[in-house]
Every structure is written in C-alpha cells, then in structure tokens.
Amino acid sequence: MSGPRASRTCSGSDEASNFRSPLGTRLREPLTQARFQQQFGGPEQDPELPEEPSLPWLCRLWSSLVRACSWPGAWRLLLARLPPLRWLPRYRWRAWLLGDAVAGVTVGVVHVPQGMAFALLTSVPPVFGLYTSFFPVLIYSLLGTGRHLSTGTFAVLSLMTGSAVERLVPEPLAGNLSGHEREQLEAQRVGAAAAMAFASGALLLGMFALQLGVLSTFLSEPVVKALTSGAALHVLVSQLPSLLGLSLPRQIGYFSLFKTLAAVLTALPQSSPAEMTISALSLALLVPVKELNVRFRDRLPTPIPGEVVMVLLASVLCFTSSLDTRYNVQVVGLLPGGFPQPLLPDLADLHRILADSLPIALVTFAVSTSLASIYADKYSYTVDPNQELLAHGVSNLISSLFSCFPNSATLATTSLLVDAGGNTQLAGLFSCVVVMSVVLWLRHFFYYLPKAVLACINITSMRQMFFQMQELPRLWHVSRMDFSVWMVTWVAVVTLNVDLGLAVGVVFSMMMVVCRTQRVQCLVLGLAEGTELYRPLRESHKLLQVPGLCILSYPTPLYFGTRGQLRHNLEWHLRLGERGKESAKPGGLPGAVAEPVRVVILDFSGVTFADAAGAREVAQLASRCQDAGIYLLLAQCNALVLETLTRAGLLDTVTPGQLFVSVQDAAAHALERLELSGPKICTVWV
C-alpha cells in the first residue's frame, strides 16, 4: 500500500468484521453526484426576468436606478447611508444620555491639547489641529457606523502628512525667515496638508464607489499593530528636538529615524535647560496619570484628564515666570478666533499629492475599520466597512475645505470614550461643543502654552501603541507565521518609513498566505474500526487501510501555484512512474512487495476553488490513472470546483458514476469494486 508510513491494513473477506457498521443505523446505497441531484435536486437558481439578459447594459443600469429611486428603495438607501435614522429612534435616553455626555465632554477636553500637539507633528500651526478635531468628528457622527469610535487627529497620519508636507513645501536652506515669510511658508504648508486630506478623501470615496470595503480583510491584525507600533517610535524620535529645545530641520525619506537621532545627538550640547526641565516635569506628571487611568479604570468614574491639568499648569507657570521672554521658551502664541471660510485646496501638484495620499487613505481605512470592528465585536453590533469608507471619505473631503489635515479614528481617544461610558455616536456631538467653545471663546488661555508640553502629550498618547509589543511572546506561541509578519512590518516601518513599511507588510503577509498553500501536505486517510469515519493516518496508528485502495485528501485550493504539488503527491503515492515494477513497501521488510493501488479516491472537500491550470492538471492525472489501470473516484467536490473540472475535460476520462458526494460513499463503492466486504453506508437513527 502506498503512503509515507506503514499502517494497519486488512485483506480479504476474512476481515469483514473490521468494517462493522455503527449500532442503530439504516443501510443505504452509495450516492454519486448525479444520483444525489436526482433525489434532492440541484442548486437553487436565482430568479431572473426572462428578458433581462437581452437588454443592453445601459438599460439594465437604468432599470436598477428606477427601482432604487422608488419610495421604498429611496428609504432603504437613506437608512443605509444615514445611520442616525436607524439608531436614534431606538436610543435609550435615560440609560445612555448621561454616559454619552460625560464621555463626549471628556474626549473633547483631551482633543484640545492633542489636536494642537498633532498639528505641530503635521508641520502646521496648532489651531488647525483644533479644526481637525471639530469638523471630522461632526461628520463621522452623522455617517459612521462605529458607535464607540472617536475620530479626529491621529499621530500616525500626522507623522505621514508632516513628512509629505515637509517634502512638498521645504523650508528655505538660508533659514532666518522674516515674519511675513514665515506666514507665507505656514500658509503653503496648510494648503498642502488640506490638499492631501482632499485627495485621501477622494480616494476613500472612490473605494466606496467600487465597494472595496472587503479590502479590510487583507489588512491583518499583525500588520496594523506593527504599523502603529513602528510609527509610534517615529513619533517619539521626531519629538526629541522639541523636548530638548532644539531647532532642527525635519528629516524625511528613508532612514529618517536614524538621521533624526544622529542630528539630535550632534546638537545635544545646544539644548535649552528650561525646555528640558519643562519636558521632564510634564512627563513626570503625564506618565503616572496614564498608568493610573489604566490600572483603576473600573474604579474611576471618569479618566483623569492629565493632559488638561498639564496644559493649565504649564500655561500658568510660563505666564507667571515669563519663560518665553527670559529663557526663550517656544510657546503656542495667539490662536486666531473663529473657523476659517471654506476654500477649495490648491491641487496644482495633484500627481505628487496623490502619491502621498494613497498610503494615508489606506492607513485611515485600515486603522479605522479594525478599531471599529474590535469594539463592534465587544459590544455585539455590526460595522459596515463600505459605509466606513463613505464616512471617512466625506469626513476628509469636506473638512479639507476648512483647512483640516488628514484624519481618522484614534486609538487613545476611542479607548477614553469607552472608559468614560460612551454608548453611541452622540458622544461626538458633545465633543464638538467643547472644541467649538475653545475655538470661539477660550483660545486666549493657550497663548503661553509651551510647545514642549505638546511634544510630551504626543509621546504619552503613544502609550497603547508601544505596549502592543507585549503581545509578541503570545503571538510567537500561537503562530510563528503571524509573528514573522509582525516583525517584518515593524522593521520595515522603523528602518524605511511608514508608507513603505505598510506596503512591505501587506505584500509579506500575502506572500505568507501563498506559502501556506504551497506547504500543505496531501493526507492519506484510513478507516476507524467499527465506524464509517475516514481520518488521516498520522492521527492514529490504529486506522485501517484496505489493500489496493488509496484515499487522499488535498486540503488546499487548486491553482497554478499548487498544481505541481498535487502532481508530485499523486505520482509518489500511486507510483505512476513505477507501474509494472516491484517496489518495496515503505517501512516494510526488504523482501516485501507493496500491493499496487487499484482504486484511488481524491477527497476534494478542502479544495475551495480551482483555476484553469489546476483543473487541467486534474484531467491529465485522471488520464494517467486510466492508462495505469487505476480506477479514480472524486469525492465531495463543491459545485464551482466540479464545474471548472468539467469544463477542463475531466468527464472525457471520468464518468459521472465516479463522482461521489462524500468519502464514505466513494469508499463503499470502491470496496464493492475490490470485491471486499466493507462498511455499508448508514444513516444514524436519532
């Protein structure tokens, strides 16, 4: 008997007792595919209008639009595209309103310092971080399906946008810009950041139009977590000059992290003692408060707003001590009042903007969808990935008209929203009220806020991303493949840059999936004594094999990349190149001769799809088996695979009577052909 290992076999009718049927059963005849369809019917066909195939495609499109524009169709479309129409009528005002209000105000209070901090990371003035913490949050509350998702400024996107802005609008090499020149440079950078938000929003809307929400399945959890963890390290290093009071040009391109470290170490003797002291005191307050919020989240009624306390203390200290004039400490300065007028961004360099906006759009979609799915699974509701594309696309597109930079869901504020008791998207409206109050009436209180404090807020907001590395030992224990994907993505993000690291991670993740299909082994099945169950021989040494019968299970898709593996496995197990030659039985005595295979059963239950190359390979192997005198049976082919095999010419060699609905049916037919008394196919009485 063929196979990679010796196993227990049975021969002749004397061992019929080895194939006893289970008790309480009713015997039946083996079912082929044709007989199964005669008794139970074929697959149900979708109802179609008889004249539909003959209509031109424009007519069919018009008819579908007419059906969608009917009153019921329009209402269904409105419900799908405006989620508040679904959840607002079912809103539990007494149970949820207080939690949404407290959570919204808490998140809004944190949005103010974080928005200004991430604006500096984007290389734009701090006030534009407040705008980005208002408009996108308002729009997502109306269009998003993530009930616990908090949107706004996100450190990873700010880092990617800032690098692109520095490349599109570089600072003159001469330096020492006048006040007017500095204003012009900032205006150009604000325009570039808004143009990138416009382009990324347009790309997300294009993905929505093509219904590409399914792409979220290709962004695996190791890729997303490694991306955000590596980007957090970039944020930490990029904030070192602000922590130390150094005026250094921003490093962009490949190996920018190491270039920034080298520049900081070189300029370390010129650090500002005052700003270093402010940074040390800020970190000494913010880090313990973050830990307290995490460790006592169940006991605290609402998280401690450490960022707000730090902003107030630092502003009062700088004002009373005149740190900005006495020690040249950089402060935020006067924030302009009100919101900007809507203005279309300058798209003159659209080709360069699109190249940088594509990875930003992908990161927006990946982080937002994965974060929304995590909390949707936790609180038992569903998230529509295509609607998320629409929500974030419209959010970026419209907010870009108000000089906002790219935005997405944020890890820190989403966790804060959940811990503070948020229940629905209504919390976002309360957050917008807080930010609007700061922009309209409270902006003067941030004049003396040191920029070093904002850098500390940037660093401490990365806490969750840094602690994602704690999952690596567990990931190594669960899956070495996923661990490899995590490490390769993280190394690529850290050494190269965020957008290229994302591309490397996605490509490597898909390569690992392909490699897994290449490494799948063809399993030899044996019979469990006293049952009609066939299991892989390597699972137990007590499984039985019938002389002359070989049952092979191929648990992988059959396509151009795996057809060679299928051919090699069948040639080895069936010895197609050794027919007529005496060969020693594997694992047997030197003089033993393996009994040739007369019947082979291919279990295709694990073949989810087959392409043309794989189907032609099966047809050719069937022809080779026929020439070698081997009777081939196929079991448990799904309808699509069977249709592909039929079109490839399988039925020129194999008859419909050789196609069975299960391995048990095929084995019963094979035993009859081998004239052995075997297990009858039975139905268990319940």
Side-chain angles (χ1 to χ4, degrees), residues 41 117 156 210 286 370 411 428 494 529 534 537 539 585 602 667 674:
V156 176
L210 297 175
L286 291 173
S370 61
L411 301 178
V494 170
E529 184 178 358
Y534 289 86
L537 291 179
E539 292 185 2
K585 184 177 180 180
L602 295 183
L674 292 171

Side-chain angles (χ1 to χ4, degrees), residues 81-96:
R81 299 301 167 236
L82 286 177
L85 296 178
R86 298 198 305 269
W87 59 263
L88 201 55
R90 299 193 298 269
Y91 189 84
R92 294 188 282 176
W93 295 94
R94 292 185 178 180
W96 290 350

Side-chain angles (χ1 to χ4, degrees), residues 125 177-190:
L177 300 177
S178 64
H180 179 66
E181 291 174 340
R182 175 64 61 181
E183 290 179 1
Q184 285 185 335
L185 179 66
E186 291 179 349
Q188 291 177 359
R189 289 184 170 178
V190 169

Side-chain angles (χ1 to χ4, degrees), residues 95-431:
W96 290 350
L97 183 59
L98 181 60
D100 282 340
V102 172
V105 171
T106 303
V107 171
V109 168
V110 174
H111 264 314
V112 173
Q114 277 196 2
M116 291 190 291
F118 292 157
L120 296 180
L121 195 60
T122 317
S123 298
V124 297
V127 70
F128 294 95
L130 298 179
Y131 302 154
T132 310
S133 300
F134 177 79
F135 290 104
V137 177
L138 180 64
I139 296 171
Y140 185 83
S141 299
L142 301 177
L143 297 177
T145 58
R147 286 168 39 188
H148 299 85
L149 207 63
S150 174
T151 59
T153 57
F154 183 39
V156 176
L157 290 186
S158 297
L159 177 70
M160 298 173 66
T161 305
S163 299
V165 167
E166 294 275 354
R167 186 167 56 253
L168 293 171
V169 188
E171 188 169 352
L173 297 177
N176 297 325
L177 300 177
S178 64
H180 179 66
E181 291 174 340
R182 175 64 61 181
E183 290 179 1
Q184 285 185 335
L185 179 66
E186 291 179 349
Q188 291 177 359
R189 289 184 170 178
V190 169
M196 295 185 67
F198 184 92
S200 61
L203 289 172
L204 289 170
L205 289 178
M207 294 170 65
F208 164 74
L210 297 175
Q211 296 292 285
L212 295 181
V214 69
L215 290 179
S216 60
T217 59
F218 295 100
L219 296 168
S220 64
E221 182 178 343
V223 171
V224 175
K225 288 189 174 182
L227 172 73
T228 53
S229 181
L233 190 58
H234 275 279
V235 172
L236 171 62
V237 174
S238 67
Q239 295 304 294
L240 289 179
S242 298
L243 292 178
L244 302 175
L246 299 174
S247 297
L248 299 176
R250 187 168 186 166
Q251 302 292 334
I252 58 177
Y254 304 144
F255 311 108
S256 58
L257 185 143
F258 305 103
K259 295 177 183 177
T260 304
L261 281 176
V264 169
L265 292 176
T266 303
L268 197 57
Q270 290 138 25
S271 302
S272 170
E275 300 209 34
M276 290 178 63
T277 304
I278 293 174
S279 300
L281 293 175
S282 300
L283 291 175
L285 174 66
L286 291 173
V287 172
V289 169
K290 290 281 186 183
E291 291 298 323
L292 288 175
N293 285 335
V294 172
R295 294 192 179 186
F296 301 100
R297 66 172 63 186
D298 297 330
R299 302 181 185 179
L300 294 173
T302 183
I304 303 173
E307 292 89 350
V308 178
V309 174
M310 190 66 247
V311 165
L312 294 177
L313 291 178
S315 299
V316 171
L317 178 64
C318 185
F319 172 73
T320 55
S321 304
S322 301
L323 297 179
D324 56 330
T325 55
R326 294 173 60 185
Y327 299 101
N328 199 24
V329 172
Q330 298 182 14
V331 296
V332 170
L334 181 64
L335 299 177
F339 292 100
Q341 296 292 328
L343 179 66
L344 185 68
D346 185 12
L347 302 176
D349 294 331
L350 184 60
H351 63 286
R352 298 175 61 191
I353 293 173
L354 282 176
D356 293 311
S357 300
L358 180 59
I360 290 177
L362 293 178
V363 171
T364 299
F365 176 59
V367 173
S368 301
T369 305
S370 61
L371 196 59
S373 300
I374 289 172
Y375 286 98
D377 294 339
K378 183 177 180 179
Y379 292 98
S380 303
Y381 62 92
T382 58
V383 171
D384 183 4
N386 288 311
Q387 181 65 20
E388 290 296 296
L389 282 172
L390 175 65
H392 290 288
V394 173
S395 175
N396 278 275
L397 192 68
I398 294 181
S399 63
S400 69
L401 305 179
F402 296 92
S403 302
C404 297
F405 49 85
N407 56 87
S408 71
T410 63
L411 301 178
T413 54
T414 297
S415 177
L416 181 64
L417 181 85
V418 175
D419 293 341
N423 298 289
T424 65
Q425 296 93 319
L426 194 63
L429 301 182
F430 291 99
S431 173

